[in-house]
Amino acid sequence: MDWRDQGILLAVRHHGETSVIIEVFTQEHGRHAGVVRGGTSRKIAPILQPGAQLDVTWRARLEDHIGSFAVEPLRSRAAAAMSGRIALAGLNSVTALLSFCLPEREPHPNLYHHSERLLDLLGQDEIWPLAYLRWELGLLEELGFGLDLSACAVTGATEDLAYVSPRTGRAVSSAAAGDWADRLLPLPPCLRGQGPAPDAEIAEALRTTGFFMENRLAPSLGNRPLPEARGRFVDLVSRPR
């Protein structure tokens, strides 16, 4: 069994004295793990940095074996990731969430391309938090937990949408919310692609997407807690820059 693909390196862990096991989110084969022989060597270890874009060839005797990877670098994102706290925390959140959420060996080509474009924006701190928010919305949509923010779930109105129902993930207008407003989640304009999207507003929107990750997505994956890397990124976006 063998195939060749391109992918984003998500995680690396030691395997024996000189090898590592890597997880790669590939374009055609989804999240896939494999052993890299000599992965701790001076030649290969610098290549295996989370977020790196790799050309990978996977081989195994049988399809259900973990198999081994031969890797070639396409582009490193290490310099961009180290350009500032937002970039590094954002990269860690993306790779941790993909490793956490994606079923092994299940292709998600649309999410792959969206993730690749997002990571290529690393270092552009003025636009990155909003791009990341769009990515999280796409992640929820891809995995079956998308939000419907097009119209009020109660009245059908498309104006004055101010809340999100935690039960349905649908928008609710201010008028329709009534006495239930304090039980609903905020719907800042940036969550619908509107307005200038300051960081404080993006952080508020990320708390709304985070609710659905914690209370819908995570339970579907065995009720594991969300990666701490995401919380660190949201905290960082919340702080004044």
Side-chain angles (χ1 to χ4, degrees):
M1 304 297 300
D2 66 275
W3 48 258
R4 183 177 179 182
D5 204 347
Q6 293 187 13
I8 300 163
L9 181 60
L10 302 181
V12 182
R13 66 181 187 272
H14 285 283
H15 178 68
E17 292 186 5
T18 61
S19 299
V20 297
I21 294 175
I22 65 172
E23 275 190 353
V24 185
F25 180 24
T26 63
Q27 180 173 324
E28 298 179 5
H29 299 85
R31 181 174 67 87
H32 214 290
V35 177
V36 178
R37 309 292 179 191
T40 60
S41 69
R42 292 182 180 180
K43 178 182 178 181
I44 300 179
I47 297 171
L48 301 180
Q49 302 297 318
Q53 197 76 20
L54 302 174
D55 183 285
V56 296
T57 302
W58 181 82
R59 293 187 177 88
R61 291 183 60 191
L62 297 173
E63 187 174 4
D64 59 353
H65 286 183
I66 188 170
S68 62
F69 275 127
V71 301
E72 293 291 339
L74 294 175
R75 61 186 179 276
S76 170
R77 297 187 174 98
M82 298 303 293
S83 65
R85 292 185 300 165
I86 287 285
L88 182 58
L91 170 64
N92 289 338
S93 183
V94 170
T95 54
L97 279 174
L98 288 172
S99 183
F100 173 82
C101 293
L102 293 180
E104 193 171 11
R105 304 188 181 191
E106 181 177 288
H108 289 273
N110 290 334
L111 179 61
Y112 171 82
H113 289 299
H114 195 176
S115 302
E116 184 179 18
R117 290 193 297 269
L118 175 66
L119 293 179
D120 284 342
L121 294 175
L122 279 170
Q124 301 183 47
D125 288 0
E126 294 306 311
I127 64 173
W128 213 87
L130 182 58
Y132 175 91
L133 172 63
R134 294 270 166 254
W135 177 82
E136 276 205 351
L137 285 169
L139 178 66
L140 286 168
E141 181 74 29
E142 182 77 15
L143 297 178
F145 300 94
L147 308 184
D148 182 357
L149 308 178
S150 58
C152 177
V154 179
T155 66
T158 58
E159 302 295 329
D160 193 32
L161 302 179
Y163 303 100
V164 180
S165 166
R167 185 175 64 85
T168 66
R170 297 186 64 188
V172 179
S173 68
S174 295
D179 295 338
W180 293 86
D182 60 348
R183 303 184 187 183
L184 302 176
L185 301 169
L187 174 52
C190 66
L191 205 52
R192 300 187 68 229
Q194 300 173 345
D199 283 355
E201 187 179 298
I202 294 171
E204 185 179 42
L206 288 171
R207 285 189 279 273
T208 294
T209 57
F211 174 89
F212 292 97
M213 288 187 174
E214 290 179 9
N215 295 279
R216 299 290 186 272
L217 178 58
S220 76
L221 300 171
N223 216 27
R224 295 174 292 149
L226 289 180
E228 292 180 0
R230 182 192 183 271
R232 288 193 292 269
F233 175 71
V234 175
D235 287 344
L236 195 57
V237 173
S238 303
R239 300 174 192 170
R241 282 193 278 163

